[in-house]
Amino acid sequence: MTDASATVTPSQGFHEDGSPERLAIDTIRTLSMDAVQKANSGHPGTPMALAPIAYTLWRDYLRYDPETPDWPNRDRFVLSVGHASMLLYSVLHLAGVVEIGADGQKTGKPAVSLDDIRQFRQLDSKTPGHPEYRMTTGVETTTGPLGQGCGNSVGMAIAERALAAKYNRPGFNLFDHDVYVLSGDGDMMEGVSGEAASVAGHLKLSNLCWVYDSNHITIEGGTDLAFDEDVGKRFEAYGWQVIHVDDANDTAAFAKALDAFKACTDRPTFIQVHSVIGWGSPKAGSEKAHGEALGEDAVRATKKAYGWPEDAQFLVPDGVKEAFTAAVADRGKPAREEWEALFERYRQEFPAEAQQIDDLRHGKIADGWQEAVPSFPADAKGLASRDSGGKVLNALAPKIPALMGGAADLSPSTKTDIKGLPSFEPNNYAGQNMHFGVREHAMGSIANGMALSYLRSYTATFLVFADYMRAPIRLAAIMELPVVFVFTHDSIGVGEDGPTHQPIEHLATLRAIPGLDTIRPGDANEVAQAWKVALTHTHEPSVLVFSRQAIATLDREKYASAEELEKGAYVLGGAEEPEVILIGTGSELPMVVAAHEKLTAEGVKSRVVSMPSWYLFEKQDQAYRESVFPPAVTARVAVEQGGSMGWDRYVTSGGATITMSTFGASAPIAKLQEKYGFTVDNVVKVAREVMEKAK
Amino acid sequence: MTDASATVTPSQGFHEDGSPERLAIDTIRTLSMDAVQKANSGHPGTPMALAPIAYTLWRDYLRYDPETPDWPNRDRFVLSVGHASMLLYSVLHLAGVVEIGADGQKTGKPAVSLDDIRQFRQLDSKTPGHPEYRMTTGVETTTGPLGQGCGNSVGMAIAERALAAKYNRPGFNLFDHDVYVLSGDGDMMEGVSGEAASVAGHLKLSNLCWVYDSNHITIEGGTDLAFDEDVGKRFEAYGWQVIHVDDANDTAAFAKALDAFKACTDRPTFIQVHSVIGWGSPKAGSEKAHGEALGEDAVRATKKAYGWPEDAQFLVPDGVKEAFTAAVADRGKPAREEWEALFERYRQEFPAEAQQIDDLRHGKIADGWQEAVPSFPADAKGLASRDSGGKVLNALAPKIPALMGGAADLSPSTKTDIKGLPSFEPNNYAGQNMHFGVREHAMGSIANGMALSYLRSYTATFLVFADYMRAPIRLAAIMELPVVFVFTHDSIGVGEDGPTHQPIEHLATLRAIPGLDTIRPGDANEVAQAWKVALTHTHEPSVLVFSRQAIATLDREKYASAEELEKGAYVLGGAEEPEVILIGTGSELPMVVAAHEKLTAEGVKSRVVSMPSWYLFEKQDQAYRESVFPPAVTARVAVEQGGSMGWDRYVTSGGATITMSTFGASAPIAKLQEKYGFTVDNVVKVAREVMEKAK
């Protein structure tokens, strides 16, 4: 268990009180210092400052069974200050948290061993620079980009309230856990945390507690350089209970604050803790303690100040781990066991609900939902894909109890309300329609948190505002969370609202994110299949891109089935050995089909390909891909009311794109389509040009 | 002047007091209603609610000469609620603002005529759906994406303080204008406005006044659905003076609030005005008055309620425009004339400073700065491009008085401080280094505002956090503002911080924005040229992408001059008629050069191309482009430690990319480069593969 034979005699340190508590706290501190020093990379100062906070929270409050870290009703601990990852790894080690494998089974290993800590920030280690969900058991969410953990925590707290409202019964408090966050000055400066805090205050999430580490230091220097607002007062304005703790080392005062959180039932709680970064080190209170190894001399000096053996590295004094693990487990294990017993009784009484909970835990949607996927008859007039999207969502929602989401104050436009169901509001946590307000960034971050707590979350806004929420979309992809991000008003089809509201580059920027399935369906039946694919994904987030304007519903007797969408791109119809391939997505598909029909009528051997998802297409084997785009046919035209970025891959240098090379303009859609060349005649013209070139 | 022969007899209306004030206010309201109705698209409710506010502000406070709307010391009016564009167009019309052409000369036309208003939201009109900078004189910034106008206004207020500190002299108050903003619930919910407000409070920008239209209505319904925080208290927490006006129609109360703003010298002012959306219409107080035409019946009913001729459209009653124009001009014109006279005296006494101000006004950098662009000797060890970037910035700063910027709390890492100069802080507005705090989104938005007020602004953070500030980057491109966005830590070269901090898709997502020059220089001399190009741009924002890790400085005796960077891509060296073309950017350039040298030594006719800017390359003529990439040579390899999106255009289907197809990992850089194939040996191997394929 220990690295040094020395038994620590806690006596010499200038701030040493000889208590087992201090021994444990300084163990967290020195493990963090040693790991950063060995990696010669990382952030020692915040773990050193917040060790007493993490110790107190985990030892005396967190309801968590180290042997069952996937217990659904565990309290959540979110390290929004992800750069302080060694704080979390140290605690996971000392708490004796066991590892759960990708298959959901215990591996028999610790979540974080001392050897893992020695491998801090090394390739393929379980202790990467920032905590990564799925990589290390006990990491509840991937953090690092500031403010995101705060947003996630609001989603987790919402999920707890929603699950409690849905599944708890008299005598069966299945869901009653809390969500704790450690956050810092950076989190508080980021707008996303303010947005999320406003949502949490509005929703009166009394199961949510943010600890704010106010250390007066940022990377550029003191917070007085850029950050001297009254953060506590701001949180009061959001409707939170606000508590101040003057000294992070005062564990009794912090415990009292946590008691106040536990006692408060009508608001979230914000605990502002004043700390000294790099506490006890020669660099204490300085930005120099933030983002780099302290240096060997400073490490030794700090250990001396702690009354720690200066030469010992990765030292866990005898008894420290055992005592910490026991303290956490003594509270968490019986609670978890009671819960399991309760759940078994619940299963007897409410078998359907229990089955739903089992499904939630395993990220599974009960069979049969696929049959609810609607189909739409051919219709030349058609309907906007936002409208068909709304219909599909409403058809599926009753079959998928975990489905929950909403819009950033645009649901009448995005059509993402589940009709007839109430809103999720402080007076009704059984409501299912979320109102995120005009807060796209928090919406994405909250949706990720909901997904981390078993819900199939979705969000909605206009495509152009994807720019406001890219960080959480990217994190959903990194975490492999199957969140569905709906974006409507997806092109210059927005019309009169003009360039600020017309996406151009956005499809490319979403397609560029690894592990994200961006789907732009081309008619109502593709919309239905797009939702189906998105909900079938278990490890990928999806972006569903819908139009504002009507799209004809194709006659699927005449053209291939929309179920082919699952392959990403497919031949809708046309010649077996085409002279030219026309490719369309989304609202441009009818235009491309019309051009194809015109060319066919003119005797040209034309093929029309629908290409709703590059992501899915790239997953197909080469034979399939070449069956859609035969290499010999270089005369290809792609039509999309967005930028051209990336299309060269599919049209090749022999082909052409009809795309946008500038921002759009404010005008009725027909005028814009004419101006920018999105007409059947122009598609035909360009098709003939590339055919000429291919000769 | 009027559309109807009727002279309005203001007597019948239920809220009609018969005053000239009410006549003017209702003119603004009815013009807005009529324009939206004619376009059958737009947002009537907010102009109707805020007409008294805009009227009072413009008529009695704004220091603005309608005949010289480009007067540098004019007060700025920012319509952050950009959807309420008709409010602004109505006011610009009634105030008689004249048009300034793209050449800076008066065109002899009004900025907004009644005919322009009739063309609301039509193609190529001066009255697009949202106000667009450069399209309509008097529009100080493009707004629409919520919160952006708020952020811009902070940049404008900063610019005023900075220019005053730099150029005002005793007796010469050249710069002493104010910045006013109309904002709404949506603005207040967006995190970017909170970030910007915190900056403004910290900086004690007493020249900044935000009017917040609190109308209790959002698109989904009442603000009680998602937004019931105490906004005023929040602004007090940011350090603002907060004033409440109970009724937007109470122009006296609003005037009193503006007086309090004018009297306050140590803080920005926040005026919360309670209004009724769609005031006076049958849809008043409802979300139905927000985002669509009222309908002909409702328009008539509203006019009737106003005591307005129900059949008159686009009616400006006799005398209304004349009185409004006169009121604005009577204050603004003498002030502007005095200023011009003052400036002439200033020019006598401070000719150098006056010349600088002239240059600022014309977006010009005084000749001679190009000579300060440094050059770097060949150096195999090299230096990180963030370091050479810092050196170049520091070499140029003394020559470019308008250059001003900073980082989002990362300047020690981004190396973007101008050494030896003080910080821009509330006690020293003459400081030049900005501290934006961990607020990337506001940073971008503030930088745009600074650029709108004559400064050559720059920002800095890590490339991965470009995700937090995409909206302002895009708006800089839409507005054609030459802001320089510096992003360092540009790839998996970030190393141990891991996937949350390693950009993958970001280069593609920036290259995809129209009108944005994204430059990723490949050695210190390209860094120097990149800064030169960025500062030469007058109508394009630039993104400068720099590495965390060292890059060898190429021997430019042996390879082509870095000045070729201005063409976007250029042949560094190698065979005249190559068998294979190797393409590199940024930190991968030395690797590509080494592979080229190895292939050359092995007898392969290899060419090496440096490609720092796709944007600049696409501006070259076809002959040049084909001289760099001869169509006959299809064996091409591009090497970039980012995603592959877009590279197919340059490597063609005959080529290959060595790029990232997944997120990165936490490990030392050398381990990552080995894992992902970024080694000289792998470049050589892939080069030989594509050569084989090309045979």
Short mmCIF file of all heavy atoms in Angstrom, two decimals, chain B residues 351-397:
data_model
loop_
_atom_site.label_atom_id
_atom_site.label_comp_id
_atom_site.label_asym_id
_atom_site.label_seq_id
_atom_site.Cartn_x
_atom_site.Cartn_y
_atom_site.Cartn_z
N PRO B 351 0.11 67.39 -34.44
CA PRO B 351 -0.07 66.88 -35.82
C PRO B 351 0.11 65.37 -35.92
O PRO B 351 -0.62 64.72 -36.68
CB PRO B 351 1.01 67.63 -36.61
CG PRO B 351 1.97 68.16 -35.59
CD PRO B 351 1.21 68.36 -34.33
N ALA B 352 1.05 64.82 -35.19
CA ALA B 352 1.28 63.37 -35.30
C ALA B 352 0.06 62.60 -34.82
O ALA B 352 -0.41 61.65 -35.47
CB ALA B 352 2.51 62.98 -34.48
N GLU B 353 -0.49 63.03 -33.67
CA GLU B 353 -1.67 62.35 -33.13
C GLU B 353 -2.87 62.53 -34.06
O GLU B 353 -3.64 61.59 -34.27
CB GLU B 353 -2.01 62.91 -31.73
CG GLU B 353 -1.08 62.45 -30.62
CD GLU B 353 0.24 63.20 -30.59
OE1 GLU B 353 0.46 64.10 -31.43
OE2 GLU B 353 1.08 62.86 -29.73
N ALA B 354 -3.00 63.74 -34.61
CA ALA B 354 -4.12 63.99 -35.53
C ALA B 354 -4.02 63.08 -36.75
O ALA B 354 -5.02 62.54 -37.23
CB ALA B 354 -4.15 65.45 -35.94
N GLN B 355 -2.80 62.90 -37.22
CA GLN B 355 -2.60 62.02 -38.36
C GLN B 355 -2.98 60.58 -38.00
O GLN B 355 -3.62 59.88 -38.80
CB GLN B 355 -1.12 62.08 -38.80
CG GLN B 355 -0.81 61.21 -40.02
CD GLN B 355 -1.65 61.60 -41.24
OE1 GLN B 355 -1.74 62.78 -41.59
NE2 GLN B 355 -2.30 60.62 -41.86
N GLN B 356 -2.63 60.18 -36.80
CA GLN B 356 -3.01 58.84 -36.35
C GLN B 356 -4.53 58.69 -36.33
O GLN B 356 -5.07 57.65 -36.72
CB GLN B 356 -2.45 58.55 -34.95
CG GLN B 356 -0.95 58.28 -34.95
CD GLN B 356 -0.42 57.86 -33.59
OE1 GLN B 356 -1.19 57.61 -32.67
NE2 GLN B 356 0.89 57.78 -33.46
N ILE B 357 -5.21 59.72 -35.85
CA ILE B 357 -6.67 59.66 -35.80
C ILE B 357 -7.25 59.58 -37.21
O ILE B 357 -8.18 58.82 -37.48
CB ILE B 357 -7.23 60.87 -35.01
CG1 ILE B 357 -6.82 60.75 -33.54
CG2 ILE B 357 -8.76 60.94 -35.14
CD1 ILE B 357 -7.11 61.98 -32.70
N ASP B 358 -6.67 60.35 -38.12
CA ASP B 358 -7.12 60.25 -39.52
C ASP B 358 -6.96 58.82 -40.03
O ASP B 358 -7.84 58.28 -40.70
CB ASP B 358 -6.30 61.21 -40.41
CG ASP B 358 -6.76 62.65 -40.26
OD1 ASP B 358 -7.91 62.87 -39.80
OD2 ASP B 358 -5.98 63.56 -40.60
N ASP B 359 -5.80 58.26 -39.73
CA ASP B 359 -5.56 56.88 -40.18
C ASP B 359 -6.58 55.92 -39.59
O ASP B 359 -7.12 55.05 -40.29
CB ASP B 359 -4.14 56.44 -39.79
CG ASP B 359 -3.07 57.12 -40.64
OD1 ASP B 359 -3.43 57.68 -41.70
OD2 ASP B 359 -1.89 57.09 -40.25
N LEU B 360 -6.82 56.08 -38.30
CA LEU B 360 -7.81 55.22 -37.63
C LEU B 360 -9.15 55.29 -38.35
O LEU B 360 -9.78 54.27 -38.64
CB LEU B 360 -8.03 55.69 -36.19
CG LEU B 360 -6.95 55.41 -35.16
CD1 LEU B 360 -7.27 56.15 -33.87
CD2 LEU B 360 -6.83 53.92 -34.90
N ARG B 361 -9.57 56.52 -38.64
CA ARG B 361 -10.88 56.72 -39.27
C ARG B 361 -10.97 56.03 -40.61
O ARG B 361 -12.06 55.65 -41.04
CB ARG B 361 -11.17 58.22 -39.44
CG ARG B 361 -11.42 58.91 -38.13
CD ARG B 361 -11.55 60.40 -38.33
NE ARG B 361 -12.77 60.79 -39.02
CZ ARG B 361 -13.16 62.06 -39.15
NH1 ARG B 361 -12.42 63.03 -38.65
NH2 ARG B 361 -14.28 62.35 -39.79
N HIS B 362 -9.84 55.95 -41.29
CA HIS B 362 -9.85 55.34 -42.62
C HIS B 362 -9.35 53.90 -42.60
O HIS B 362 -9.08 53.33 -43.65
CB HIS B 362 -9.04 56.21 -43.59
CG HIS B 362 -9.63 57.59 -43.74
ND1 HIS B 362 -9.11 58.68 -43.10
CD2 HIS B 362 -10.73 58.01 -44.41
CE1 HIS B 362 -9.86 59.75 -43.38
NE2 HIS B 362 -10.84 59.37 -44.17
N GLY B 363 -9.20 53.34 -41.41
CA GLY B 363 -8.77 51.95 -41.32
C GLY B 363 -7.40 51.71 -41.91
O GLY B 363 -7.10 50.64 -42.43
N LYS B 364 -6.58 52.73 -41.81
CA LYS B 364 -5.27 52.69 -42.45
C LYS B 364 -4.19 52.54 -41.39
O LYS B 364 -4.29 53.10 -40.30
CB LYS B 364 -5.08 54.01 -43.20
CG LYS B 364 -3.95 54.01 -44.19
CD LYS B 364 -3.94 55.32 -45.00
CE LYS B 364 -2.57 55.51 -45.60
NZ LYS B 364 -1.84 56.67 -45.16
N ILE B 365 -3.17 51.79 -41.70
CA ILE B 365 -2.00 51.74 -40.83
C ILE B 365 -0.91 52.55 -41.51
O ILE B 365 -0.64 52.36 -42.70
CB ILE B 365 -1.53 50.30 -40.59
CG1 ILE B 365 -2.67 49.46 -40.01
CG2 ILE B 365 -0.32 50.27 -39.66
CD1 ILE B 365 -2.34 47.99 -39.86
N ALA B 366 -0.32 53.50 -40.78
CA ALA B 366 0.67 54.39 -41.40
C ALA B 366 1.81 53.59 -42.01
O ALA B 366 2.26 52.60 -41.45
CB ALA B 366 1.22 55.36 -40.35
N ASP B 367 2.25 54.05 -43.19
CA ASP B 367 3.31 53.35 -43.90
C ASP B 367 4.54 53.14 -43.02
O ASP B 367 4.79 53.91 -42.10
CB ASP B 367 3.72 54.16 -45.14
CG ASP B 367 2.65 54.05 -46.22
OD1 ASP B 367 1.84 53.10 -46.13
OD2 ASP B 367 2.61 54.92 -47.10
N GLY B 368 5.28 52.14 -43.35
CA GLY B 368 6.54 51.91 -42.63
C GLY B 368 6.47 50.73 -41.68
O GLY B 368 7.51 50.20 -41.29
N TRP B 369 5.24 50.33 -41.35
CA TRP B 369 5.14 49.23 -40.37
C TRP B 369 5.67 47.92 -40.96
O TRP B 369 6.18 47.08 -40.24
CB TRP B 369 3.71 49.08 -39.87
CG TRP B 369 2.73 48.58 -40.92
CD1 TRP B 369 2.05 49.34 -41.82
CD2 TRP B 369 2.35 47.23 -41.16
NE1 TRP B 369 1.26 48.55 -42.62
CE2 TRP B 369 1.42 47.24 -42.22
CE3 TRP B 369 2.68 46.00 -40.59
CZ2 TRP B 369 0.84 46.08 -42.73
CZ3 TRP B 369 2.10 44.84 -41.08
CH2 TRP B 369 1.19 44.88 -42.15
N GLN B 370 5.54 47.80 -42.28
CA GLN B 370 5.97 46.53 -42.89
C GLN B 370 7.46 46.28 -42.67
O GLN B 370 7.88 45.12 -42.57
CB GLN B 370 5.69 46.54 -44.41
CG GLN B 370 4.22 46.52 -44.77
CD GLN B 370 3.64 47.90 -44.97
OE1 GLN B 370 4.18 48.90 -44.47
NE2 GLN B 370 2.53 47.98 -45.69
N GLU B 371 8.22 47.38 -42.57
CA GLU B 371 9.66 47.19 -42.35
C GLU B 371 9.96 46.59 -40.98
O GLU B 371 11.04 46.08 -40.74
CB GLU B 371 10.41 48.53 -42.49
CG GLU B 371 10.63 48.96 -43.93
CD GLU B 371 9.44 49.69 -44.50
OE1 GLU B 371 9.22 50.85 -44.14
OE2 GLU B 371 8.70 49.08 -45.31
N ALA B 372 9.00 46.72 -40.09
CA ALA B 372 9.22 46.17 -38.74
C ALA B 372 8.94 44.67 -38.67
O ALA B 372 9.21 44.04 -37.64
CB ALA B 372 8.34 46.92 -37.74
N VAL B 373 8.39 44.12 -39.76
CA VAL B 373 8.13 42.68 -39.74
C VAL B 373 9.47 41.96 -39.63
O VAL B 373 10.34 42.13 -40.49
CB VAL B 373 7.39 42.24 -41.03
CG1 VAL B 373 7.25 40.72 -41.07
CG2 VAL B 373 6.03 42.92 -41.12
N PRO B 374 9.67 41.21 -38.59
CA PRO B 374 10.99 40.61 -38.38
C PRO B 374 11.24 39.42 -39.29
O PRO B 374 10.30 38.85 -39.87
CB PRO B 374 10.94 40.15 -36.92
CG PRO B 374 9.50 39.91 -36.64
CD PRO B 374 8.72 40.85 -37.52
N SER B 375 12.50 39.04 -39.43
CA SER B 375 12.80 37.77 -40.08
C SER B 375 13.65 36.94 -39.13
O SER B 375 14.29 37.48 -38.23
CB SER B 375 13.47 37.97 -41.43
OG SER B 375 14.80 38.36 -41.24
N PHE B 376 13.61 35.65 -39.34
CA PHE B 376 14.25 34.74 -38.39
C PHE B 376 15.29 33.90 -39.13
O PHE B 376 15.02 33.42 -40.24
CB PHE B 376 13.19 33.82 -37.77
CG PHE B 376 12.17 34.54 -36.94
CD1 PHE B 376 11.06 35.15 -37.53
CD2 PHE B 376 12.31 34.61 -35.55
CE1 PHE B 376 10.12 35.82 -36.77
CE2 PHE B 376 11.37 35.28 -34.78
CZ PHE B 376 10.27 35.88 -35.39
N PRO B 377 16.46 33.70 -38.54
CA PRO B 377 17.49 32.88 -39.19
C PRO B 377 17.11 31.40 -39.14
O PRO B 377 16.36 30.98 -38.25
CB PRO B 377 18.74 33.14 -38.33
CG PRO B 377 18.21 33.50 -36.98
CD PRO B 377 16.90 34.21 -37.22
N ALA B 378 17.65 30.66 -40.10
CA ALA B 378 17.41 29.22 -40.10
C ALA B 378 17.86 28.64 -38.77
O ALA B 378 18.85 29.08 -38.18
CB ALA B 378 18.19 28.57 -41.24
N ASP B 379 17.08 27.69 -38.29
CA ASP B 379 17.33 27.15 -36.95
C ASP B 379 16.64 25.80 -36.85
O ASP B 379 15.41 25.73 -36.81
CB ASP B 379 16.79 28.13 -35.90
CG ASP B 379 16.93 27.61 -34.48
OD1 ASP B 379 17.55 26.54 -34.30
OD2 ASP B 379 16.44 28.28 -33.57
N ALA B 380 17.45 24.75 -36.83
CA ALA B 380 16.87 23.40 -36.80
C ALA B 380 16.06 23.17 -35.53
O ALA B 380 15.07 22.45 -35.54
CB ALA B 380 17.98 22.36 -36.92
N LYS B 381 16.48 23.78 -34.44
CA LYS B 381 15.75 23.62 -33.18
C LYS B 381 14.44 24.40 -33.26
O LYS B 381 13.39 23.92 -32.89
CB LYS B 381 16.62 24.10 -32.02
CG LYS B 381 16.10 23.69 -30.65
CD LYS B 381 17.07 24.10 -29.55
CE LYS B 381 16.36 24.22 -28.22
NZ LYS B 381 16.72 25.43 -27.48
N GLY B 382 14.56 25.62 -33.77
CA GLY B 382 13.37 26.42 -34.00
C GLY B 382 12.68 26.89 -32.75
O GLY B 382 13.24 26.87 -31.65
N LEU B 383 11.46 27.33 -32.94
CA LEU B 383 10.67 27.79 -31.80
C LEU B 383 9.19 27.59 -32.12
O LEU B 383 8.80 27.50 -33.29
CB LEU B 383 10.98 29.25 -31.43
CG LEU B 383 10.59 30.40 -32.35
CD1 LEU B 383 10.92 31.73 -31.67
CD2 LEU B 383 11.29 30.32 -33.69
N ALA B 384 8.42 27.49 -31.07
CA ALA B 384 6.98 27.32 -31.26
C ALA B 384 6.42 28.51 -32.01
O ALA B 384 6.89 29.64 -31.83
CB ALA B 384 6.28 27.18 -29.91
N SER B 385 5.42 28.30 -32.84
CA SER B 385 4.89 29.46 -33.57
C SER B 385 4.15 30.40 -32.63
O SER B 385 4.02 31.59 -32.92
CB SER B 385 4.04 29.04 -34.78
OG SER B 385 3.14 28.02 -34.49
N ARG B 386 3.67 29.90 -31.47
CA ARG B 386 3.13 30.87 -30.50
C ARG B 386 4.24 31.80 -30.04
O ARG B 386 4.01 32.99 -29.80
CB ARG B 386 2.48 30.16 -29.32
CG ARG B 386 3.40 29.27 -28.51
CD ARG B 386 2.71 28.73 -27.26
NE ARG B 386 3.50 27.67 -26.64
CZ ARG B 386 3.50 27.38 -25.36
NH1 ARG B 386 2.72 28.06 -24.52
NH2 ARG B 386 4.23 26.40 -24.87
N ASP B 387 5.47 31.29 -29.92
CA ASP B 387 6.59 32.14 -29.49
C ASP B 387 7.00 33.11 -30.59
O ASP B 387 7.19 34.30 -30.34
CB ASP B 387 7.78 31.27 -29.08
CG ASP B 387 7.57 30.63 -27.72
OD1 ASP B 387 7.13 31.34 -26.79
OD2 ASP B 387 7.81 29.42 -27.59
N SER B 388 7.14 32.61 -31.81
CA SER B 388 7.50 33.54 -32.88
C SER B 388 6.37 34.53 -33.09
O SER B 388 6.60 35.71 -33.36
CB SER B 388 7.86 32.80 -34.17
OG SER B 388 6.89 31.84 -34.51
N GLY B 389 5.12 34.04 -32.91
CA GLY B 389 3.97 34.95 -33.01
C GLY B 389 4.08 36.09 -32.01
O GLY B 389 3.83 37.26 -32.34
N GLY B 390 4.46 35.76 -30.80
CA GLY B 390 4.64 36.79 -29.77
C GLY B 390 5.73 37.78 -30.15
O GLY B 390 5.58 38.99 -29.96
N LYS B 391 6.81 37.26 -30.72
CA LYS B 391 7.91 38.15 -31.12
C LYS B 391 7.46 39.11 -32.24
O LYS B 391 7.78 40.29 -32.23
CB LYS B 391 9.11 37.32 -31.61
CG LYS B 391 9.87 36.62 -30.47
CD LYS B 391 11.03 35.80 -31.05
CE LYS B 391 11.56 34.78 -30.04
NZ LYS B 391 12.23 35.38 -28.87
N VAL B 392 6.72 38.56 -33.19
CA VAL B 392 6.26 39.39 -34.31
C VAL B 392 5.30 40.46 -33.80
O VAL B 392 5.42 41.65 -34.13
CB VAL B 392 5.59 38.52 -35.39
CG1 VAL B 392 5.01 39.40 -36.49
CG2 VAL B 392 6.59 37.53 -35.97
N LEU B 393 4.36 40.03 -32.97
CA LEU B 393 3.40 40.98 -32.40
C LEU B 393 4.14 42.11 -31.68
O LEU B 393 3.82 43.29 -31.84
CB LEU B 393 2.47 40.24 -31.43
CG LEU B 393 1.52 41.10 -30.59
CD1 LEU B 393 0.53 41.85 -31.47
CD2 LEU B 393 0.78 40.24 -29.57
N ASN B 394 5.12 41.74 -30.90
CA ASN B 394 5.86 42.74 -30.14
C ASN B 394 6.70 43.65 -31.04
O ASN B 394 6.91 44.82 -30.71
CB ASN B 394 6.74 42.06 -29.08
CG ASN B 394 5.96 41.86 -27.79
OD1 ASN B 394 5.90 42.74 -26.95
ND2 ASN B 394 5.32 40.70 -27.66
N ALA B 395 7.16 43.10 -32.16
CA ALA B 395 7.93 43.94 -33.09
C ALA B 395 7.03 44.95 -33.80
O ALA B 395 7.42 46.08 -34.08
CB ALA B 395 8.64 43.05 -34.11
N LEU B 396 5.79 44.52 -34.07
CA LEU B 396 4.88 45.38 -34.85
C LEU B 396 4.14 46.38 -33.98
O LEU B 396 3.79 47.48 -34.44
CB LEU B 396 3.87 44.51 -35.61
CG LEU B 396 4.47 43.61 -36.69
CD1 LEU B 396 3.38 42.75 -37.33
CD2 LEU B 396 5.15 44.47 -37.77
N ALA B 397 3.87 46.02 -32.75
CA ALA B 397 2.99 46.84 -31.91
C ALA B 397 3.40 48.31 -31.84
O ALA B 397 2.55 49.20 -31.95
CB ALA B 397 2.88 46.22 -30.51
#
